[in-house]
Amino acid sequence: MRQFSRLPRTGMAAAVALMAWQMVSQPVQAKDMTDLSLEQLMHLDVIQLSVPGAHFHYQGDWMIGYDYSSSQYGGYLSGTSSVSNNQVLSQYMMANTRMQSEMEDLMLMYGLRDNWTINVMIPYMNMTMDQVMTSASIPGEHIGGLNSNHTAGLGDMYVGVIHPFRYKYPTQWQWEAGLGLPTGNIDQFGLMTGMFGPQKLPYDMQLGSGSFTFQPSLTYLGETDKASWGGQLRGYLPLDQNWDHYIQSNRFSATGWYAPQLSKHFSPSVRVDFVSQGNIRGADNGMDPTTMPDSNPGLYAGRRADIYLGLNFNLNNDGQGHGQWISIEGGWPFYQSLTGPQLKLNNVYSAAFEWTFK
């Protein structure tokens, strides 16, 4: 009321009456999105949990999360053409009939500054592989003898830093530089055939890479009160040869998503993901490359495109990026071209929970 203090009493009363009339006669306008702070804009209600590093946190904010994913593999491809188990067994002693790879990830994030976030991921791996064997590997057995192997344990941990560097409503850019640590064991053994004792399991059944890996990413985020969207480019680049004399595959991925916000607490999402991977360089002398395709380091390259459908829930959000989020997602490949014979991906299912607090 300071601006009215110099008015005569009658003028002051008239001004107050005019203000009251305007408030009654004119509808209240919704707050324009351009009036929101950067923090409010980028933490409206629903975030994309299925993409690592696709958000950041402000100074003093903590995030703890849990992510579970299960990938199912079955059937062989060479290029885009199917290869039968009998064709594989004409060249190798064993063929895989099914592989399931599960990962449980403990996620920790902390905002050092408003534009610097520390990101830590601690994975636990659980993998099962079923095989069919030729009669040559089990004397007296017909083709179709069965075998199964299982590995479980700590995978390669990850430490990264996220830095948002460009903002112009309604979009944001950020980069992440991360380092994978060789904490996963790469000397897992199993019963590969019926006529021999335990042997070194193939590369894709080992728990880690055995190498430090550089994992950079560039992420684009967009968000309004109606929807969120974004994209990310990510690399996985082993930096050194491991103690078993090989270097895991280089891998590059590109993903993009769109999530309309149907309510304050719910948003469906659609995401498309593209992955390109090279072959393993070098070879583990403890693996026999004639046993099965997975033991051949030259059969890991390929390209794949997947589509993912998700459901995202905001359980409790204070408007400042603090609260709990749940996301579930299912993915299916619509294109695969593999250096083969190589197992193809059939589907991926995941669920994630995050809790952010001050």
Side-chain angles (χ1 to χ4, degrees), residues 10 53 55 61 63 98 119 169 184 216 235 269 276 285 287 295 307 324:
T10 54
H55 63 283
D61 283 356
M63 187 281 288
R98 183 187 73 94
N119 184 17
Y169 178 78
S269 62
S276 178
N285 294 329
M287 295 184 198
S295 296
I307 186 166
Q324 296 87 43

Side-chain angles (χ1 to χ4, degrees), residues 38-163:
L38 171 61
E39 183 168 353
Q40 290 171 316
L41 283 169
M42 301 313 295
H43 289 292
L44 282 174
D45 288 305
V46 179
I47 61 178
Q48 192 76 15
L49 305 187
S50 56
V51 180
H55 63 283
F56 65 96
H57 295 276
Y58 288 92
Q59 183 172 351
D61 283 356
W62 288 89
M63 187 281 288
I64 184 169
Y66 169 82
D67 180 87
Y68 169 83
S69 64
S70 176
S71 303
Q72 308 286 337
Y73 298 82
Y76 282 97
L77 288 179
S78 182
T80 58
S81 302
S82 296
V83 179
S84 70
N85 286 340
N86 282 335
Q87 289 174 295
V88 173
L89 291 173
S90 68
Q91 305 175 60
Y92 296 90
M93 298 169 65
M94 307 180 72
N96 295 319
T97 58
R98 183 187 73 94
M99 179 178 176
Q100 178 175 340
S101 178
E102 297 177 296
M103 183 173 70
E104 298 178 77
D105 220 338
L106 175 64
M107 302 174 291
L108 301 169
M109 299 179 77
Y110 177 69
L112 287 176
R113 296 287 187 270
D114 282 354
N115 58 351
W116 292 100
T117 298
I118 297 295
N119 184 17
V120 178
M121 292 184 283
I122 305 172
Y124 183 85
M125 311 298 296
N126 192 334
M127 293 176 286
T128 301
M129 180 180 284
D130 296 332
Q131 297 116 356
V132 61
M133 296 172 283
T134 65
S135 57
S137 53
I138 305 181
E141 285 279 349
H142 56 79
I143 292 178
L146 299 177
N147 189 53
S148 183
N149 280 288
H150 174 256
T151 60
L154 179 69
D156 284 353
M157 295 172 58
Y158 171 87
V159 179
V161 59
I162 299 171
H163 178 62

Side-chain angles (χ1 to χ4, degrees), residues 33 36 40 43-47 223-228 259-268 312-326:
M33 292 296 292
L36 297 178
Q40 290 171 316
H43 289 292
L44 282 174
D45 288 305
V46 179
I47 61 178
E223 188 171 47
T224 68
D225 60 341
K226 302 297 183 183
S228 64
Q261 188 163 314
L262 300 188
S263 75
K264 182 178 177 61
H265 300 287
F266 171 66
S267 174
N312 309 282
F313 302 91
N314 163 28
L315 303 183
N316 180 26
N317 189 335
D318 64 0
Q320 302 298 318
H322 306 129
Q324 296 87 43
W325 288 264
I326 290 178

Side-chain angles (χ1 to χ4, degrees), residues 7-25:
L7 294 177
R9 288 180 180 269
T10 54
M12 194 170 181
V16 171
L18 178 61
M19 289 174 62
W21 178 82
Q22 289 177 335
M23 293 176 63
V24 172
S25 62

